[in-house]
Amino acid sequence: MNKKIFNIGRLFSILAMVTLMLTACEKDDKSNPTFKATSPSFKLNVPANATNNVYDLVSANGLELTCTQPDYNGVPYVTQYHVQIALSEDFSQFKELETSYTTAKMSVDAYELNTGIIDLFHEIEGDVDFPAEPRPLYIRLRANVVNMANAIQDEALSNIIVLPNVLATFKAPELTFPTSCYIVGSSIGDGDSKGYWSYWKPMAPVYGGEGEFYTLIYVPDGGQFKWGEAENDWRGYDRVAKFDDQANAGVHEAENDGNIQIDNGGWYTIHVETALGATEVAWTFHIYPGAAYVIGNAAGGDWTDSNADWQMIAPNGDGTWESPAFTASGELRAYIKVPGRDWWKTEFTLFNGDLFFRTANIVNNWAEDVGPEYSVACSSGQKLYVNFSTNTGEVK
């Protein structure tokens, strides 16, 4: 039987060599590569035939740029290059394109370049039509080294080159109707558990209405709110094209912070409509007195829209709404009233204790057309109770 005998002497030799190597690495005797704190300038080359060419960015695939690499004391660090553009040689105002590159030869996307020029022009000139003729474009590069922690360790700017004839073309964005809208404010949500100004309440889409949304909220005197297409998309009064105050709410822009302010407190239905303009979506906020109703079989078979006999009673201040007592058995049918819209376009039911707003075609009832789990059975004498601040409810 063979045995492997470990050589103790060899172990000490290896340890000695490792110690020597670590000592050598820690010692800076000017022969080790060191990162230079301020990297030298580097050269951006002028593209061939730049003087004679007209760069039509709409029809071009890209702009090829080349440069020399910055000299980081002879160490071949990976360098990241960023393209900066300006409309004047002094670079007093410029824009850095989003895409970066890690080689000294880069193909700059023509669409990104075109968009950057248009955006920069409007930042400088304001709401002025972009000129439809070629113009000079000034370009430089910013180079930096990124360490393993993705932190910039050093950066340098190249020389500035000019492309005398660059044709950028304004193209209107392809606008589409928004698919969501949220609201957040000083009294929206549950202040005890979620915290006001932290709960982004989703507005329900109007069934069959493209780009339409609605919700029912309580606002105290002087209450304020903001809105957005997504959570943390903080939009204020100035992002609304039109306010249609049909409830004498006293809506206006709050001082200093751009919030939407309601002077006269109460329950309000907020109905949002959108329209596609030439360059942006126009948002209209209709403000109506808050109103909700029950309808249908549990309401004695009454299917009349906005029947005052079946209007839910609003609380004094924030709290729970209460319906009249049902007079018959049947499936729950209830809705927030948006003037000008049929009741079934703003209908809701209860799903696991939460309000579920209609998004499907209901020919017969919730049980058959959506699912039995979305159908709430009501009995004579019961009532519907809803907290519209938290979008929860129950029948009892």
Side-chain angles (χ1 to χ4, degrees):
M1 181 176 180
N2 293 327
K3 290 186 178 180
K4 293 184 179 180
I5 302 175
F6 192 81
N7 191 324
I8 299 297
R10 185 179 179 187
L11 172 62
F12 283 112
S13 298
I14 293 173
L15 291 175
M17 290 175 65
V18 171
T19 303
L20 180 61
M21 290 172 64
L22 291 174
T23 304
C25 289
E26 292 174 355
K27 180 182 178 182
D28 186 1
D29 59 2
K30 301 187 183 300
S31 65
N32 300 323
T34 57
F35 189 83
K36 194 170 183 180
T38 304
S39 59
S41 61
F42 62 104
K43 183 180 179 181
L44 172 61
N45 301 314
V46 178
N49 300 319
T51 302
N52 301 322
N53 280 351
V54 174
Y55 291 94
D56 185 352
L57 297 178
V58 169
S59 58
N61 292 323
L63 171 67
E64 186 171 288
L65 296 177
T66 61
C67 67
T68 60
Q69 292 184 318
D71 180 12
Y72 296 107
N73 200 31
V75 181
Y77 289 111
V78 175
T79 306
Q80 192 173 33
Y81 299 98
H82 311 263
V83 179
Q84 297 180 345
I85 59 173
L87 302 179
S88 59
E89 190 174 8
D90 62 6
F91 256 78
S92 56
Q93 288 183 265
F94 66 92
K95 178 176 287 291
E96 184 171 288
L97 304 185
E98 183 176 349
T99 304
S100 61
Y101 308 86
T102 55
T103 64
K105 181 179 181 180
M106 57 209 80
S107 181
V108 182
D109 181 75
Y111 178 80
E112 184 178 8
L113 188 58
N114 184 85
T115 302
I117 293 172
I118 300 294
D119 290 346
L120 180 59
F121 175 84
H122 287 303
E123 288 176 11
I124 297 172
E125 302 294 342
D127 189 16
V128 178
D129 290 340
F130 187 81
E133 63 270 353
R135 61 180 300 153
L137 178 67
Y138 299 89
I139 304 176
R140 72 185 180 191
L141 298 180
R142 177 174 67 86
N144 64 260
V145 172
V146 178
N147 67 11
M148 294 183 67
N150 204 32
I152 295 176
Q153 289 193 337
D154 197 7
E155 63 179 23
L157 296 174
S158 74
N159 58 304
I160 298 171
I161 65 170
V162 59
L163 305 181
N165 300 295
V166 175
L167 179 60
T169 304
F170 174 77
K171 296 183 68 175
E174 296 182 3
L175 299 179
T176 58
F177 282 104
T179 57
S180 61
C181 188
Y182 292 77
I183 191 168
V184 61
S186 58
S187 62
I188 294 172
D190 184 349
D192 294 331
S193 64
K194 298 177 182 177
Y196 300 135
W197 291 105
S198 65
Y199 172 59
W200 286 81
K201 182 179 182 181
M203 299 182 72
V206 174
Y207 177 68
E210 195 170 23
E212 286 189 69
F213 310 92
Y214 67 99
T215 192
L216 202 161
I217 61 172
Y218 175 75
V219 184
D221 290 345
Q224 300 179 11
F225 62 91
K226 273 189 165 69
W227 63 283
E229 288 189 63
E231 294 185 12
N232 299 311
D233 178 20
W234 298 90
R235 303 187 188 185
Y237 185 93
D238 62 346
R239 297 292 298 275
V240 177
K242 178 184 178 181
F243 283 94
D244 174 32
D245 185 0
Q246 297 289 324
N248 192 32
V251 61
H252 62 89
E253 184 173 11
E255 296 182 3
N256 303 323
D257 49 25
N259 293 339
I260 300 168
Q261 180 168 321
I262 299 291
D263 284 342
N264 304 317
W267 283 96
Y268 294 103
T269 295
I270 309 296
H271 173 214
V272 174
E273 289 186 282
T274 58
L276 303 183
T279 59
E280 62 182 3
V281 177
W283 297 74
T284 296
F285 275 52
H286 303 279
I287 303 175
Y288 300 110
Y293 297 81
V294 293
I295 197 170
N297 292 334
D302 190 339
W303 293 91
T304 305
D305 195 343
S306 304
N307 187 341
D309 292 338
W310 292 103
Q311 183 170 359
M312 298 185 69
I313 301 171
N316 293 322
D318 199 0
T320 300
W321 289 57
E322 179 182 329
S323 77
F326 303 131
T327 58
S329 298
E331 185 183 66
L332 173 68
R333 305 299 291 266
Y335 59 99
I336 293 172
K337 184 56 190 175
V338 173
R341 300 295 179 268
D342 293 323
W343 69 267
W344 47 270
K345 292 187 175 183
T346 54
E347 185 184 5
F348 65 86
T349 186
L350 302 179
F351 178 72
N352 293 332
D354 294 325
L355 301 193
F356 182 88
F357 294 92
R358 177 171 172 167
T359 59
N361 185 28
I362 299 178
V363 178
N364 296 314
N365 51 57
W366 284 91
E368 294 180 32
D369 299 316
V370 182
E373 65 272 27
Y374 295 94
S375 180
V376 179
C378 303
S379 300
S380 180
Q382 289 185 315
K383 295 181 180 181
L384 170 64
Y385 299 88
V386 175
N387 186 324
F388 286 108
S389 293
T390 58
N391 277 352
T392 56
E394 62 178 335
V395 169
K396 62 180 182 178

